[in-house]
Amino acid sequence: MWDYSDKVREHFFNPRNSGPLDDANAIGDFGSIKCGDALRLMLRVNPQTEVIDDARFQTFGCGSAIASSSALTEIIKGKTLDEALQVSNQDIADYLDGLPPEKMHCSVMGREALQAAVADYRGESWKDDHQESELVCKCFAIDTLMIEDTVRANRLRTIEEVANYTKAGGGCSACHEKIEDILIAANGRLYAAAVKPTQAPPATSDAPGRPKLTNYQRIRRIEETLDAIRPMLQRDHGDVTLVEVDGRNIYVELSGACQGCAMQAATLGGVQQKLCETLGELVQVLPVAALVRA
């Protein structure tokens, strides 16, 4: 489904600096195995110079997560801690010759783990800020501070972009309203500082000048999108079938290995994200069980 650069493939199949670092004096953890991605970054820092002499990682996640972690360790080795902290998630993506938009959260994960590792070395409580921040996305355990920081750092403008960079909003979509509030507040500050958006938000089917899809055209696009997604799910012995379309609510049935899977919310979130892009509007993808309850 995604177009990976040769460099991403190289760092996935032949990751650099993978595995434990026995003499590490700085460790940063970010993510959660329950949510699908987790990273432990280990550093050996020279106490006299604060130069990172070695960096290794252990990652649970997709190919982009592994490649991003590998790239991060290559970038920061030989830098001082202060220099390493200047590395942005976009630097990680650029080092890999780009990441698909849907996988930018992997580079953000590396950036967060780096901040945690530096805080650990300096005896600072990096996690406290996040622990005190309001939980916004329960599907992926993403808080307000994480979203605000990522929105400002990457000048995000839409819920889809927030989902790409943080995963927040990519699951059940119950947090979309809160994410919109954060986007409005953050973008207000950005615009006040005369920061220009990097790109305009995607048009919606209700936007002036864009013809609205008929019900038939809309359903056909939904079916075509599901057809494009289906081979990936079938490789993991799963499948997805369209059941009903009720306005902006799209009900699907997951079958095979996808049915009852711990990652069901993430799968539905991925389907929802692709449908939002295809239809040019915000839709909510729900399991068929929700239709029965309704």
Side-chain angles (χ1 to χ4, degrees):
M1 290 175 62
W2 297 294
D3 185 18
Y4 293 108
S5 70
D6 290 339
K7 207 163 184 180
V8 170
R9 294 188 181 94
E10 169 62 20
H11 278 264
F12 169 59
F13 289 113
N14 300 290
R16 280 64 159 173
N17 312 304
S18 176
L21 182 60
D22 295 332
D23 56 349
N25 55 2
I27 296 176
D29 293 318
F30 186 76
S32 167
I33 290 178
K34 292 181 180 179
C35 296
D37 289 302
L39 168 61
R40 166 163 287 189
L41 179 66
M42 296 151 284
L43 310 178
R44 186 174 72 239
V45 182
N46 185 314
Q48 280 74 44
T49 62
E50 287 202 337
V51 169
I52 300 172
D53 291 333
D54 199 5
R56 298 182 71 82
F57 75 92
Q58 291 176 296
T59 294
F60 177 88
C62 64
S64 294
I66 294 171
S68 295
S69 303
S70 174
L72 173 63
T73 57
E74 288 289 274
I75 292 170
I76 64 176
K77 281 199 297 185
K79 293 183 181 293
T80 66
L81 294 181
D82 288 337
E83 290 171 340
L85 286 174
Q86 299 304 311
V87 175
S88 67
N89 66 281
Q90 189 61 53
D91 292 330
I92 298 170
D94 291 343
Y95 183 91
L96 293 169
D97 294 335
L99 285 168
E102 298 87 350
K103 293 296 183 179
M104 282 300 295
H105 64 269
C106 296
S107 63
V108 174
M109 182 172 68
R111 164 70 180 169
E112 293 283 319
L114 172 61
Q115 290 179 315
V118 174
D120 177 59
Y121 177 81
R122 293 175 171 172
E124 300 170 354
S125 299
W126 174 81
K127 288 186 178 180
D128 286 352
D129 290 339
H130 287 268
Q131 288 173 346
E132 294 173 2
S133 181
E134 179 189 3
L135 183 65
V136 173
C137 178
K138 294 182 180 179
C139 294
F140 297 106
I142 306 298
D143 57 60
T144 300
L145 183 62
M146 172 70 173
I147 298 173
E148 287 180 345
D149 288 348
T150 306
V151 166
R152 286 196 295 268
N154 298 279
R155 300 174 184 173
L156 306 184
R157 295 291 183 269
T158 66
I159 292 176
E160 290 84 358
E161 288 177 334
V162 171
N164 289 341
Y165 278 72
T166 69
K167 285 192 171 182
C172 69
S173 77
C175 59
H176 280 191
E177 185 174 349
K178 288 185 177 180
I179 295 175
E180 285 181 343
D181 291 341
I182 294 172
L183 283 167
I184 292 169
N187 283 329
R189 290 194 291 270
L190 287 175
Y191 286 126
V195 178
K196 301 297 184 181
T198 55
Q199 62 183 59
T204 67
S205 57
D206 299 327
R210 179 172 177 174
K212 187 173 183 179
L213 297 174
T214 66
N215 288 334
Y216 175 78
Q217 291 172 327
R218 194 163 175 265
I219 292 172
R220 284 298 303 151
R221 289 200 183 181
I222 293 171
E223 290 176 335
E224 289 168 0
T225 302
L226 294 181
D227 287 341
I229 294 172
R230 185 168 288 112
M232 182 187 69
L233 299 180
Q234 290 175 339
R235 285 197 294 271
D236 291 329
H237 308 288
D239 207 343
V240 60
T241 304
L242 177 65
V243 176
E244 180 64 275
V245 178
D246 182 11
R248 293 181 185 262
N249 291 335
I250 300 173
Y251 297 90
V252 301
E253 180 178 17
L254 295 177
S255 57
C258 292
Q259 188 176 27
C261 171
M263 293 299 293
Q264 177 173 302
T267 301
L268 290 173
V271 173
Q272 177 174 294
Q273 194 168 309
K274 296 303 292 183
L275 287 173
C276 286
E277 295 171 359
T278 301
L279 299 173
E281 61 178 289
L282 288 177
V283 297
Q284 185 173 12
V285 174
L286 301 166
V288 67
L291 177 62
V292 173
R293 288 195 297 269

